[in-house]
Amino acid sequence: MKNYKTQMEAAKKGIITPEMLIVAKKEFMEPEKLRGLIACGQVAIPANINHTSLSPEGIGTGLSTKINVNLGVSGDCKNYDIELEKVKLALKFGAEAIMDLSNYGKTNTFRNQLIKISPAMIGTVPMYDAIGYLEKDLLEITPQDFMKVVRSHAEEGVDFMTIHAGINKRAIEAFKRTGRKMNIVSRGGSLLFAWMEMTGNENPFYEYYDEFLEILREFDVTISLGDALRPGCIDDSSDASQLSELIELGQLTKRAWEKDVQVMVEGPGHMAMNEIAANMTIQKRLCHGAPFYVLGPLVTDIAPGYDHITSAIGGAIAAASGADFLCYVTPAEHLRLPDINDVKEGIIASKIAAHAADIAKGVPHAREIDNNMAEARHKLDWDAMFELAIDSEKARAYYESASPAEKHTCTMCGKMCAVKTTNMILEGKTVEFYSEN
């Protein structure tokens, strides 16, 4: 029988768990080095003891950048079959995490099915589920009710939960003084703000933080400290509201580690490119090196319909500057619940950002697949190129949609293909464009 409750407790005791061995192999890292990073909180392995289908992943210092895919139903879009298709797509393209953000009705049937079939980490935001799960209006919900929802998610097998514990009364005072353009854009954060203002009480996730940590510790659920006051437009980024909450999150990080609960800290949001690197440094400093999980950041506010691109730009910069985990953004962001095509576009954009950052960070073997692609292009081996592409099907479909007259080239350059011309010259052959056949 194992003598530890959580991955962090095991790491502190010098124990290398089966999950650590799997992650170490995936990351080309010595298990003992990984154990040390988990012990000090710089790496988390979200792995609920009840998620038996999980293929463990590590998030944090020295590891490859992971991506998360959000899905789930809303009051206006309630088709769980469509959400399951999104799950399959996320798994097909190698997303390491899936968050069920359903906020309508009894969501546990879908979530139980998701946890049963998914090798990817599963995350939730219990605050979203509270109203539907409890069938109470916001004002009627008690701190004990919130605990009931958190325990339910933990028992089901959720690997990490976003809990907005940092938006306490001190942070709200800073928010009110700041005077933002977009105020609060976090759904969970806005609900907690409303609950606090209507009841006059402290944030229950902050006031009863230790009790919530005990639940998370029991099932080895990683706490993802939500950024309720994240900037919702670039004009609000790096303001007193955001940073005052981040200071609170740093203290909450240490308190969780004291109870052997693994931690991730969530970040912006909308942010101009020139602020991103500094924000990553500040987060790592204030939150003691805990893994950083960012939504975007979106680097401009004027691209609805293309926010997977604005997010990929910001995400690549953030991850190259120290962020560890990227939450995907789809073209439907700010507009509607994403459909299956939106989800695919968001996943691909996020995977590109994560991989580009891993190359910049020097993650072991990150360049290998790029070098293999270069070799395939050098040889004009189209099948190998399609196999190596992030989206093999799209690459092949593009190529086959317009057949070139010149064998082994594409319709961009045709007989003037630079690769073919150079290969021929280096092989001692003559290049002729107008020779008779």
Side-chain angles (χ1 to χ4, degrees):
M1 182 176 178
K2 67 181 187 180
N3 61 340
Y4 59 88
K5 279 281 191 180
T6 71
Q7 296 293 320
M8 175 170 257
E9 182 184 0
K12 288 178 180 178
K13 290 180 174 180
I15 299 169
I16 295 175
T17 67
E19 292 80 9
M20 292 180 202
L21 288 173
I22 293 170
V23 170
K25 185 175 181 180
K26 289 181 179 181
E27 300 287 346
F28 305 98
M29 180 178 284
E30 288 297 319
E32 179 58 28
K33 180 178 179 181
L34 179 65
R35 184 202 63 77
L37 291 168
I38 294 167
C40 71
Q42 291 187 34
V43 167
I45 300 180
N48 188 309
I49 59 174
N50 290 336
H51 188 180
T52 56
S53 63
L54 178 69
S55 178
E57 297 285 353
I59 301 169
T61 301
L63 308 186
S64 59
T65 307
K66 308 304 186 296
I67 76 160
N68 170 70
V69 171
N70 289 339
L71 44 81
V73 301
S74 69
D76 293 310
C77 299
K78 313 179 189 70
N79 191 325
Y80 279 115
D81 290 335
I82 292 175
E83 298 313 299
L84 277 175
E85 289 303 310
K86 295 176 185 177
V87 169
K88 293 174 184 175
L89 191 68
L91 297 176
K92 174 183 175 181
F93 283 102
E96 291 86 5
I98 297 171
M99 290 195 78
D100 173 22
L101 304 187
S102 297
N103 64 354
Y104 175 83
K106 298 298 185 182
T107 61
N108 61 324
T109 301
F110 170 71
R111 191 161 47 254
N112 284 327
Q113 187 175 2
L114 173 60
I115 292 166
K116 183 178 180 180
I117 67 172
S118 175
M121 300 173 281
I122 301 302
T124 59
V125 185
M127 187 69 204
Y128 294 177
D129 196 28
I131 295 171
Y133 179 88
L134 298 166
E135 296 184 332
K136 289 184 176 181
D137 212 340
L138 183 61
L139 189 57
E140 300 171 355
I141 298 175
T142 67
Q144 290 68 36
D145 288 331
F146 288 124
M147 285 187 201
K148 182 178 179 181
V149 178
V150 169
R151 175 167 286 279
S152 173
H153 285 210
E155 290 174 345
E156 289 166 6
V158 170
D159 300 296
F160 65 97
M161 295 185 204
T162 294
I163 292 181
H164 300 89
I167 182 171
N168 57 21
K169 287 187 175 182
R170 284 192 299 271
I172 285 177
E173 286 175 9
F175 159 68
K176 289 180 175 178
R177 287 195 304 267
T178 301
R180 284 180 151 190
K181 276 188 168 62
M182 283 295 296
N183 290 323
I184 298 175
V185 299
S186 160
R187 186 194 307 166
S190 68
L191 292 171
L192 274 171
F193 172 71
W195 186 91
M196 292 168 67
E197 291 293 296
M198 289 190 296
T199 64
N201 295 330
E202 179 59 279
N203 176 355
F205 292 106
Y206 179 79
E207 185 173 3
Y208 301 97
Y209 188 60
D210 288 336
E211 287 88 336
F212 282 105
L213 290 178
E214 288 297 336
I215 297 171
L216 302 181
R217 183 179 186 276
E218 183 179 347
F219 299 91
D220 198 2
V221 177
T222 298
I223 187 169
S224 189
L225 289 167
D227 53 338
L229 296 175
R230 69 175 180 265
C233 64
I234 59 173
D235 196 61
D236 290 341
S237 66
S238 306
D239 69 356
S241 297
Q242 178 194 336
L243 296 177
S244 64
E245 183 183 30
L246 190 59
I247 292 168
E248 301 293 340
L249 297 184
Q251 291 299 312
L252 294 171
T253 295
K254 293 180 74 174
R255 287 174 60 185
W257 286 344
E258 287 168 2
K259 290 185 176 288
D260 299 327
V261 174
Q262 300 183 100
V263 177
M264 298 187 292
V265 177
E266 299 184 13
H270 293 237
M271 183 165 286
M273 288 193 295
N274 61 304
E275 296 180 37
I276 294 173
N279 267 263
M280 301 305 108
T281 300
I282 291 169
Q283 184 276 340
K284 290 288 184 176
R285 176 77 175 185
L286 292 178
C287 297
H288 321 290
F292 202 15
Y293 175 23
V294 296
L295 177 65
L298 278 67
V299 296
T300 180
D301 298 328
I302 61 168
Y306 298 90
D307 275 329
H308 59 311
I309 297 174
T310 60
S311 173
I313 294 168
I317 297 170
S321 303
D324 307 290
F325 193 19
L326 303 181
C327 187
Y328 91 148
V329 171
T330 77
E333 186 79 6
H334 304 112
L335 301 172
R336 61 170 168 81
L337 195 76
D339 64 20
I340 194 77
N341 292 321
D342 298 324
V343 169
K344 180 181 177 182
E345 291 295 313
I347 292 170
I348 297 298
S350 192
K351 291 289 282 187
I352 292 169
H355 181 65
D358 287 348
I359 293 171
K361 287 192 286 193
V363 170
H365 299 274
R367 286 177 176 262
E368 199 169 285
I369 192 168
D370 295 81
N371 291 339
N372 292 339
M373 177 65 87
E375 186 66 25
R377 284 175 170 157
H378 170 72
K379 295 177 179 177
L380 294 172
D381 185 343
W382 293 95
D383 288 331
M385 292 184 227
F386 302 145
E387 185 68 26
L388 292 163
I390 288 179
D391 186 350
S392 300
E393 294 171 5
K394 185 172 185 177
R396 185 181 291 276
Y398 266 60
Y399 178 75
E400 294 179 349
S401 67
S403 301
E406 190 76 11
K407 188 178 180 182
H408 299 308
T409 66
C410 73
T411 55
M412 172 67 78
C413 298
K415 65 176 65 178
M416 293 186 185
C417 173
V419 175
K420 184 176 181 180
T421 296
T422 305
N423 287 349
M424 288 178 68
I425 292 296
L426 292 175
E427 292 166 7
K429 297 177 181 178
T430 301
V431 176
E432 296 177 323
F433 294 134
Y434 296 104
S435 59
E436 294 183 6
N437 295 322

